[in-house]
């Protein structure tokens, strides 16, 4: 198992300066480090934040969320009960903000009547579990976020 200090040093060597002078780590570099060293993308992002290096996917959060707060979000777990209208919107926002683990509970499946009002509903996932679709969508938005789908009411 790789030590945190060692991972932070590797991440630091892959950081670059942004236009505003902040150190950042882009997604491609983060994925390369994760794959090369057998660690998760979330671990790489946490190591970057510990070194005050901002993962580029969170670049627009400063001013609203400090790097220390971003680290806290990435280390947090939130349960969302319901992945339909409001729940689906909340899930997408939490994934984009970088909450590290989401537990998504919903025993329902997407139906055609959901198409006009639910962000996670598309024609190609009609009849599919809302919890599972939420997990797949979050993986596309932010693969550092772990999602535990609970397809139950």
């Amino acid at each position: 198992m790789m030590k945190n200090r060692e991972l932070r040093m590797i991440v630091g060597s892959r950081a670059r300066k942004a236009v505003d002078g902040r150190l950042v780590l882009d997604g491609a570099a983060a994925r390369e480090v994760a794959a090369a060293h057998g660690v998760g993308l979330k671990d790489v992002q946490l190591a970057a934040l510990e070194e005050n290096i901002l993962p580029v996917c969170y670049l627009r959060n400063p001013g609203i969320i400090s790097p220390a707060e971003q680290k806290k979000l990435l280390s947090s777990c939130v349960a969302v009960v319901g992945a339909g209208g409001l729940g689906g919107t909340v899930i997408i926002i939490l994934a984009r903000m970088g909450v590290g683990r989401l537990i998504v509970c919903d025993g329902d499946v997407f139906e055609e009547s959901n198409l006009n009002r639910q962000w996670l509903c598309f024609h190609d996932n009609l009849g599919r579990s809302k919890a599972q679709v939420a997990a797949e969508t979050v993986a596309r938005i932010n693969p550092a976020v772990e999602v535990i789908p609970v397809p139950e009411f």
Side-chain angles (χ1 to χ4, degrees), residues 70-134:
Q70 189 68 59
K71 182 180 171 199
K72 188 171 184 175
L73 277 176
L74 198 54
S75 300
S76 296
C77 179
V78 173
V80 180
V81 179
L86 179 59
T89 302
V90 169
I91 290 163
I92 289 170
I93 292 169
L94 293 172
R96 291 187 188 279
M97 292 296 294
V99 171
R101 178 182 294 149
L102 298 173
I103 301 170
V104 177
C105 306
D106 197 319
D108 204 1
V109 297
F110 284 112
E111 298 174 358
E112 193 171 0
S113 64
N114 302 143
L115 284 166
N116 71 326
R117 59 193 169 79
Q118 296 187 14
W119 287 101
L120 297 173
C121 185
F122 297 91
H123 282 278
D124 62 350
N125 61 30
L126 294 177
R128 295 192 59 220
S129 161
K130 290 181 179 182
Q132 187 59 45
V133 168

Side-chain angles (χ1 to χ4, degrees), residues 37-56:
H37 298 283
V39 297
L41 185 57
K42 180 164 78 171
D43 296 321
V44 172
Q45 289 183 359
L46 285 168
L49 288 163
E50 287 174 10
E51 292 297 310
N52 206 27
I53 300 168
L54 193 62
V56 171

